Amino acid sequence: MGPVDVHSPAAEHAAELARARKDIVRIATAGSVDDGKSTLIGRLLYDSKAIFEDQYEAVARASKGDHVDLALLTDGLRAEREQGITIDVAYRYFTTPRRTFVLADTPGHVQYTRNMVTGASTADLAIVLVDARRGMVEQSRRHAFLASLLRVPHLVVAVNKMDLVDWSEEVFDRIADEFDAFAAKLSVPDLTVVPISALHGDNVVRHSPNTPWYEGPTLLHHLEHVHVASDRNLTDARFPVQYVIRPQTDGHHDYRGYAGTVASGVFRVGDDVQVLPSGLTTRIAGIDGPRGPVEEAFAPMSVTLRLDDDLDVSRGDLIGKPENAPTATQDLDALVCWMAEEPLRPRQRIAVKHTTRSVRAVVKELAYRLDVNTLHRDREAPELGLNDIGRVRLRATQPLFVDDYTRNRVTGRFILVDEATNATVGAGMLTPAG
């Protein structure tokens, strides 16, 4: 896919609408244990006034030492997760006058790779924390690689605890250069490095007088201004059908609409569209949004499409443009992150959920298991264990309509489901065959 034209009418309209309803940016945070991630999240919540006064007072009373321990604002969630109460990602929300942020707090431990994958799979931006005293460590590389693998468009390296290295410009430059060299081996389109002290708030919201040599943005300024509208695919029209709406009431006797979320591209009233897998074509008669009819819809709007002709359309079908159809295939080549205790092995049968469509499949081949620390490919690996990532080929019982993950992060991914337990056991990102 060529780069999306950020000056196209659709892109400008998307940006205008996003501004009007306050832009929403999804962030995944990652870092090693004790590098200050919880403190940074607490600092962002506190400085953006996203916590209540009584919460702050409770944290102040529980803090030890000379400073209010803002990490306590998120430690409760972390403790729950580590006790197995929830294995999902902890999400936090905060708002500034410019934007709303959805912040996925992903754990730092190696065994939580699956949580990092879950949190980063929908992220616009990833923050990787690095302890200034230790510099880049194995986990820094691991998290940067995962962010790159999941095609997170913007990566921020927050060099934390600068106060503990006497605000050394030399230390910061060394870490920035080392990270830049590592990122050059990955697919990282936008990398920003910021020196901070989450504990004291330096360069988080306000510029710090302790780093007069740093001329870049503060962390929050960067989060508020990073351009995410152009990251969305406005070229390939993809609309997975989630529900068929037929009220069959006196007021809506003949109403038939197809509800779902626009995965990518732009749909307008009057557009020629094609329904897959039937391949039948028709036109869009109308688009209904939550507040009434609209003339066009684009990702990630949730709308209902009405079609000119009475076609047989059901959940799991995909509506697109006849001149720009996705690939129909039963062979799925993908990088898979395995999330279950029981390993994934060749010849295993499994269910694949792709957008709103579910099919059965068999594991035809495990090409290799990837060491995300060294990027080494182990082609002799017999299986994928918990938190392993590897290249797999699946053969589905029915065709799926897919795009490469680098082209489309919605139609290019799927989840794997254990048919016996109905548990999610893996996440896959489609890659070109070969």
Side-chain angles (χ1 to χ4, degrees):
M1 179 186 69
V4 173
D5 180 6
V6 299
H7 300 298
S8 70
E12 290 178 356
H13 183 57
E16 183 181 351
L17 187 67
R19 284 194 296 273
R21 67 183 183 189
K22 188 174 285 188
D23 212 354
I24 297 175
V25 176
R26 291 179 172 272
I27 301 171
T29 58
S32 300
V33 179
D34 296 330
D35 58 9
K37 183 163 59 67
S38 294
T39 303
L40 175 62
I41 294 172
R43 171 64 61 184
L44 284 169
L45 295 174
Y46 175 68
D47 284 358
S48 62
K49 305 186 188 309
I51 61 172
F52 296 111
E53 191 64 29
D54 59 339
Q55 286 179 294
Y56 179 75
E57 290 173 357
V59 167
R61 286 195 299 273
S63 299
K64 299 175 182 178
D66 299 331
H67 302 281
V68 176
D69 187 359
L70 295 172
L72 296 176
L73 287 167
T74 59
D75 278 354
L77 287 172
R78 187 174 61 187
E80 287 182 359
R81 181 172 50 219
E82 290 176 354
Q83 290 170 34
I85 294 174
T86 174
I87 61 168
D88 207 342
V89 178
Y91 289 95
R92 287 284 190 167
Y93 304 85
F94 68 99
T95 300
T96 68
R98 187 177 181 86
R99 274 179 166 166
T100 293
F101 297 94
V102 181
L103 203 155
D105 179 12
T106 56
H109 298 285
V110 173
Q111 63 265 37
Y112 290 120
T113 296
R114 57 183 175 179
N115 302 65
M116 169 71 183
V117 170
T118 302
S121 62
T122 57
D124 301 302
L125 180 147
I127 300 175
V128 175
L129 268 84
V130 173
D131 187 326
R133 297 169 301 175
R134 296 187 294 169
M136 279 191 71
V137 296
E138 185 176 297
Q139 280 293 79
S140 310
R141 295 182 177 87
R142 185 180 184 86
H143 290 143
F145 170 74
L146 289 173
S148 166
L149 180 70
L150 291 159
R151 298 288 170 177
V152 180
H154 307 279
L155 180 63
V156 175
V157 178
V159 182
N160 193 24
K161 304 187 182 183
M162 287 296 298
D163 51 311
L164 299 182
V165 294
D166 297 327
W167 309 102
S168 169
E169 181 181 9
E170 181 183 351
V171 169
F172 174 75
D173 286 345
R174 186 173 65 244
I175 294 172
D177 290 345
E178 188 178 0
F179 215 107
D180 197 48
F182 180 71
K185 304 174 187 174
L186 310 175
S187 176
V188 180
D190 178 32
L191 174 66
T192 302
V193 189
V194 185
I196 67 168
S197 169
L199 180 64
H200 301 286
D202 296 73
N203 290 331
V204 177
V205 174
R206 288 173 288 278
H207 275 104
S208 170
N210 295 310
T211 55
W213 41 265
Y214 175 68
E215 298 178 345
T218 65
L219 179 60
L220 186 61
H221 184 275
H222 181 70
L223 298 182
E224 285 186 317
H225 292 82
V226 65
H227 189 61
V228 296
S230 61
D231 300 328
R232 292 159 190 161
N233 183 336
L234 297 169
T235 305
D236 304 311
R238 307 283 187 261
F239 184 82
V241 176
Q242 193 164 7
Y243 297 110
V244 179
I245 298 179
R246 293 190 64 196
Q248 295 182 312
T249 61
D250 291 338
H252 302 85
H253 186 75
D254 296 323
Y255 188 95
R256 180 193 288 264
Y258 307 101
T261 301
V262 180
S264 59
V266 182
F267 291 88
R268 296 184 179 86
V269 176
D271 279 355
D272 292 326
V273 291
Q274 182 181 41
V275 180
L276 298 171
S278 69
L280 298 173
T281 58
T282 182
R283 286 186 179 181
I284 296 177
I287 303 174
D288 296 325
R291 297 180 181 82
V294 296
E295 285 299 311
E296 63 179 19
F298 45 83
M301 290 173 66
S302 295
V303 296
T304 299
L305 302 184
R306 287 179 281 116
L307 304 180
D308 262 349
D309 299 298
D310 186 12
L311 305 181
D312 181 13
V313 182
S314 58
R315 174 182 169 84
D317 288 357
L318 187 138
I319 298 175
K321 302 286 181 68
E323 74 281 5
N324 180 17
T327 301
T329 181
Q330 290 179 255
D331 293 313
L332 306 174
D333 291 280
L335 285 170
V336 167
C337 177
W338 189 244
M339 301 178 173
E341 298 283 351
E342 188 70 20
L344 177 74
R345 298 189 177 98
R347 296 181 296 283
Q348 186 170 333
R349 297 186 183 280
I350 202 160
V352 176
K353 187 173 187 307
H354 172 257
T355 63
T356 58
R357 189 175 181 84
S358 296
V359 298
R360 302 181 73 185
V362 62
V363 181
K364 294 290 289 184
E365 179 187 0
L366 170 60
Y368 57 80
R369 181 174 59 202
L370 189 66
D371 185 328
V372 298
N373 300 310
T374 63
L375 308 185
H376 172 69
R377 299 175 178 183
D378 181 2
R379 299 185 184 278
E380 304 301 320
E383 62 186 30
L384 290 183
L386 176 64
N387 290 312
D388 280 346
I389 292 175
R391 186 182 176 93
V392 172
R393 166 168 278 202
L394 304 168
R395 174 74 176 178
T397 54
Q398 300 175 39
L400 292 173
F401 304 97
V402 305
D403 293 295
D404 188 273
Y405 185 77
T406 59
R407 184 183 182 99
N408 193 316
R409 291 175 73 190
V410 177
T411 53
R413 69 186 179 209
F414 59 82
I415 61 172
L416 298 173
V417 178
D418 186 314
E419 290 185 298
T421 64
N422 207 32
T424 300
V425 291
M429 291 143 282
L430 292 160
T431 61

